Amino acid sequence: MAEAKKAPAAKAPKLADPMEASIEVSTQEMIRRAQQLNIDTVFDRAVTMKPCAIGLQGICCKNCAMGPCRLPLPKDGIQGEDTRKGLCGATANTICARNFARMVAAGTAAHSDHGRAVAETFLSVARKETEDYKIKDPAKLLQIAPYFGVETKIEVDGEMLDRDLDEIALGVAEAAVKEWGKPEGTLAYLQRAPKPLIEKWEKMGVMSRNIDREIVDTMHRTAMGVDQDYKNIIKQATRTSLADGWGGAMIGTDLQDVMFGSPSPLQAEANLGIMKEDHVNIIVHGHEPLLSEMIVAAAQSQEMIDYAKQQGAKGIQLGGICCTANEVLQRHGVPPAGTFLQQELAIITGACDAMVVDVQCIFQNLANVAKCFHTKLITTHPIAKMEQDNVVHIEFDEHYAMQDAKRIVKMAIDNYNERGADIMIPQHKATQIAGFGVESIQYHLGGSFRGDYFTLNDNIINGRIRGIAGVVGCNNARTKHNEEHITVIKELIKNDVIVLTTGCSAIAAGIHGLLTPGAAAVHCGPGLAEVCETVGIPPVLHLGSCVDNTRILLAATEVVKAGGLGDDICDLPAAGSAPEWMSEKAIAIGQYFVSSGVYTVFGYHMPLEGAPEFKDYLYKEMENIYGGKWDCEPDPIKHAHKMIAHIDKKRKELGIDKARERVLMDMADRQALGME
Ligand code: BF8
């Protein structure tokens, strides 16, 4: 075997302290390993490059060539009138709102273009143009058809009969694809929201028209010299974000479920330790599961397993990074190898025979790291190529999906014997239960007679469960890897708040052992622990990838429907959180949660400090319109307690706060009697 090719000595006097960079042991080990090999990672770069202080405040305008105009907040704050303005006269509020709205547009574009690819593939399936994908969940197809105006029954001789599934599929596919550009009306899925919420959206004029149009509208009105009213800009940001959460992302999730199967709880492992030295290791990374679904099938085929054995490997180990990981985890139990911040580290193990990337959250530096090892880095998407000559591009075509997948798996197997001697796979991994969804929550926490989410609602009303939290989103190299996610989640479940998680937060929760039923006894307050132990679920439920945040919207809608907790999402004792966010997609998600009535707290920092009036609008005024509002709190314990305080406020408004006090008094009484 050849020696691993070492990177040329780079000038990197300042390196990350592994213990300061992450709370996770295998990450710490691999950062150290990278430093020994003289390979820089995101953790080192975060030490050497500091963020721009003006950009951080959200008030740098580079939308025309007279700028960039920078409007930093004066050191002693605004005294009297705020006279700051750019060359054209744009105020800090306008600039900050434009920047924020553009983040929403970019995030919406990312999720929705993913959704479009899924919808177009589903159209190919419905037209029978591909054999590689099938309809695996016909029940979900029948469930969503009415929203697209597609009949599921047909009248024959006065009798209502089931309509042919292929006809329904074609109707749904054609209607779904049109959601990106239909000339009239509003998005079909907006009608899935609770009625009072739809009425708020209608009153405000923010019902999204079509997905592409909302993104174009935002880009237009935030260009130089167009919309100069921050409230009007943010109104459009809402309309755009709804085209994400109740549009492109939701269609993406649903049609993926239809084609690949809706997830149901399954057991898997998580962390870099899932990689095996004696196996061919293939890591799928990115977001769109169209090709990775096929890679899973190809890697599990006898033909490929036999071929791997011929090359001297014991088998093929698949692993995932980022949301592609969550997609193949929730449907096939393929273990995630790590979060967003661990992508370089997977290659630095020296045992990654191929890393297959599609779109989003892929470091450009991967190619530099791959150059130091034997790893084949394979790009697969026409909109996401890399310029380095060590990167192979195999463009995915849904008509030849399995053929492409087999070619990629074979390439990884052929690369197995090219490994160098520098192999170090950290021996840390955890067991997890993943694959929850709207349907499985209904199965575990539903009721037989009184509504689908009855048991969940009943336990919220009686106070065993204090409330519901969505903890989602990225890692960010400006915060300690996984610390905020894990601290926030632990504090919530300790206080009887059940947590729904997606994205890299879900991967982090899996790695840190919070996605098992056993975590309830260790980490939960007594009420939540009792519920989890009774029904056999973890206190933290993995609901999938970031587009699957739409599952949280629909779960919240089901809670409203089940009754007893108000008429709208904003009435629920619920809150949202993204403790380590970094992506524009997180801002789009935050905006659609806030505009759907959810109090949403981000960690780290928000790029709003330079425009206090605009910030106030997001943090206070939005609640008067939609019932939800933004907040930011970098301290993870305070962050969790802001969410809990909101949950308690909602419990009080619902008149169910007394029930909770009684539960706590019972506990105290039992403790006083020495029974606990
Ligand atoms: O879409 S959580 S780092 S992987 S952006 Fe990226 Fe953030 Fe991870 Fe998933 Ni979501």
Side-chain angles (χ1 to χ4, degrees):
M1 287 191 176
E3 280 296 305
K5 291 163 256 167
K6 301 248 166 69
K11 251 194 181 176
K14 275 180 133 186
L15 295 175
D17 174 349
M19 304 299 283
E20 288 300 313
S22 175
I23 58 164
E24 198 280 304
V25 184
S26 65
T27 304
Q28 295 165 353
E29 288 176 4
M30 292 309 295
I31 294 171
R32 238 173 255 125
R33 177 67 175 159
Q35 291 171 351
Q36 283 162 3
L37 296 173
N38 204 17
I39 299 169
D40 67 280
T41 65
V42 63
F43 300 99
D44 302 312
R45 297 190 291 277
V47 172
T48 50
M49 182 189 281
K50 293 294 167 206
C52 162
I54 296 165
L56 266 183
Q57 292 184 39
I59 30 71
C60 172
C61 179
K62 50 188 176 56
N63 296 6
C64 89
M66 296 194 293
C69 293
R70 297 159 304 155
L71 275 57
L73 207 57
K75 279 209 170 61
D76 46 355
I78 307 283
Q79 311 291 331
E81 200 188 338
D82 186 357
T83 53
R84 293 173 297 159
K85 55 187 171 202
L87 261 64
C88 70
T91 63
N93 288 330
T94 303
I95 290 170
C96 200
R98 283 175 177 170
N99 289 339
F100 187 85
R102 283 192 167 206
M103 292 176 88
V104 171
T108 300
H111 290 142
S112 297
D113 218 28
H114 165 171
R116 184 204 316 266
V118 173
E120 286 175 349
T121 301
F122 184 59
L123 185 59
S124 296
V125 174
R127 286 178 175 163
K128 310 270 184 213
E129 292 169 357
T130 171
E131 280 291 294
D132 293 339
Y133 302 97
K134 303 257 179 296
I135 295 170
K136 285 200 182 154
D137 188 348
K140 181 147 278 186
L141 178 62
L142 295 178
Q143 186 200 334
I144 62 173
Y147 294 106
F148 292 108
V150 177
E151 300 286 347
T152 57
K153 300 272 182 193
I154 188 161
E155 193 178 334
V156 179
D157 299 333
E159 209 184 329
M160 294 308 285
L161 300 177
D162 289 342
R163 196 173 166 205
D164 178 62
L165 200 66
D166 287 346
E167 274 177 39
I168 298 171
L170 191 59
V172 168
E174 286 175 348
V177 167
K178 286 191 186 132
E179 291 293 277
W180 274 262
K182 64 185 180 190
E184 290 178 323
T186 56
L187 291 183
Y189 271 179
L190 294 168
Q191 299 302 331
R192 299 178 90 169
K195 274 260 155 351
L197 183 54
I198 299 173
E199 282 164 15
K200 282 176 201 154
W201 292 338
E202 282 173 342
K203 187 172 155 222
M204 282 305 291
V206 294
M207 296 283 280
S208 323
R209 296 155 292 182
N210 71 54
I211 298 163
D212 287 350
R213 179 171 183 176
E214 300 311 349
I215 296 164
V216 170
D217 182 323
T218 300
M219 293 309 288
H220 177 190
R221 78 169 68 203
T222 55
M224 193 270 155
V226 189
D227 204 341
Q228 298 162 21
D229 172 356
Y230 73 85
K231 291 181 190 170
N232 207 38
I233 294 169
I234 205 65
K235 184 175 141 188
Q236 174 57 20
T238 286
R239 185 156 56 174
T240 308
S241 72
L242 297 179
D244 179 0
W246 298 88
M250 194 175 271
I251 296 172
T253 293
D254 277 348
L255 294 183
Q256 284 172 182
D257 283 355
V258 170
M259 283 192 287
F260 311 144
S262 295
S264 58
L266 44 71
Q267 186 173 320
E269 294 179 320
N271 211 352
L272 289 165
I274 61 105
M275 296 173 74
K276 295 192 180 116
E277 191 160 352
D278 54 9
H279 280 55
V280 174
N281 291 298
I282 305 174
I283 301 288
V284 288
H285 171 20
H287 286 76
E288 286 183 12
L290 292 167
L291 178 59
S292 49
E293 272 286 319
M294 290 296 122
I295 290 179
V296 174
Q300 290 172 349
S301 71
Q302 201 54 49
E303 177 196 351
M304 288 296 145
I305 294 170
D306 290 345
Y307 185 60
K309 287 183 178 164
Q310 277 171 31
Q311 303 308 310
K314 287 206 171 126
I316 302 169
Q317 177 64 51
L318 274 181
I321 298 270
C322 285
C323 281
T324 294
N326 287 319
E327 299 285 3
V328 291
L329 165 67
Q330 66 183 344
R331 297 193 181 91
H332 304 287
V334 171
T339 63
F340 169 70
L341 284 183
Q342 288 170 290
Q343 55 186 285
E344 292 165 305
L345 309 181
I347 297 178
I348 294 167
T349 60
C352 178
D353 301 304
M355 182 174 278
V356 189
V357 303
D358 50 82
V359 286
Q360 303 168 25
C361 299
I362 296 150
F363 286 174
Q364 183 154 1
N365 196 53
L366 282 184
N368 299 329
V369 178
K371 225 174 229 174
C372 304
F373 297 89
H374 77 303
T375 306
K376 289 271 185 229
L377 183 58
I378 304 167
T379 53
T380 58
H381 205 289
I383 69 159
K385 293 189 174 182
M386 292 183 178
E387 62 183 350
Q388 290 93 331
D389 55 12
N390 62 320
V391 181
V392 185
H393 185 72
I394 299 180
E395 197 153 306
F396 166 67
D397 180 337
E398 75 260 28
H399 301 98
Y400 305 99
M402 184 47 102
Q403 208 173 307
D404 293 340
K406 283 192 173 166
R407 192 172 149 211
I408 288 168
V409 173
K410 186 165 180 301
M411 192 176 272
I413 297 170
D414 287 335
N415 202 26
Y416 174 71
N417 283 314
E418 300 301 318
R419 284 185 193 172
D422 284 329
I423 292 178
M424 184 184 132
I425 301 174
Q427 296 303 303
H428 306 284
K429 58 184 174 182
T431 301
Q432 60 173 334
I433 307 292
F436 285 88
V438 178
E439 299 83 358
S440 46
I441 295 176
Q442 185 176 315
Y443 175 76
H444 287 282
L445 289 168
S448 317
F449 308 109
R450 294 179 54 188
D452 286 344
Y453 271 45
F454 173 72
T455 307
L456 176 60
N457 284 31
D458 193 38
N459 278 296
I460 295 172
I461 292 164
N462 70 28
R464 280 194 196 92
I465 297 176
R466 190 170 188 162
I468 307 170
V471 183
V472 307
C474 325
N475 292 123
N476 185 326
R478 300 289 176 204
T479 67
K480 195 172 192 171
H481 173 237
N482 287 356
E483 182 172 62
E484 281 76 3
H485 284 302
I486 300 308
T487 311
V488 167
I489 292 174
K490 281 188 177 167
E491 194 62 21
L492 289 169
I493 60 177
K494 186 173 122 190
N495 285 280
D496 292 321
V497 177
I498 193 167
V499 172
L500 312 180
T501 183
T502 60
C504 288
S505 186
I507 300 176
I511 286 172
H512 292 273
L514 297 176
L515 301 184
T516 62
V522 182
H523 298 291
C524 290
L528 180 60
E530 188 184 333
V531 175
C532 291
E533 283 162 11
T534 307
V535 296
I537 56 165
V540 185
L541 302 179
H542 185 306
L543 262 73
S545 66
C546 286
V547 292
D548 296 334
N549 281 315
T550 59
R551 298 191 200 278
I552 300 181
L553 290 178
L554 292 177
T557 305
E558 289 301 318
V559 173
V560 172
K561 274 195 218 156
L565 291 170
D567 301 323
D568 198 353
I569 293 175
C570 66
D571 297 330
L572 302 177
S577 156
E580 301 181 28
W581 79 280
M582 65 85 206
S583 168
E584 291 159 320
K585 291 179 284 175
I587 295 290
I589 292 166
Q591 184 69 8
Y592 73 64
F593 268 104
V594 168
S595 306
S596 300
V598 180
Y599 171 61
T600 303
V601 191
F602 271 35
Y604 174 47
H605 148 90
M606 288 286 282
L608 304 170
E609 294 304 318
E613 192 180 322
F614 173 58
K615 181 181 140 185
D616 253 30
Y617 189 80
L618 295 183
Y619 285 28
K620 292 182 187 141
E621 273 304 301
M622 277 196 77
E623 191 174 27
N624 299 328
I625 305 168
Y626 304 106
K629 61 180 177 181
W630 281 90
D631 205 347
C632 177
E633 177 53 64
D635 180 300
I637 295 285
K638 286 188 196 155
H639 184 117
H641 280 281
K642 280 187 162 187
M643 297 167 74
I644 293 166
H646 179 81
I647 284 168
D648 285 349
K649 186 179 99 182
K650 291 293 166 184
R651 292 189 68 86
K652 193 160 189 204
E653 285 170 12
L654 288 164
I656 56 172
D657 52 324
K658 299 287 180 292
R660 168 133 206 98
E661 280 163 24
R662 196 165 60 239
V663 170
L664 285 177
M665 277 169 64
D666 287 347
M667 265 299 295
D669 287 348
R670 290 208 298 275
Q671 279 167 346
L673 292 168
M675 292 169 69
E676 290 292 320

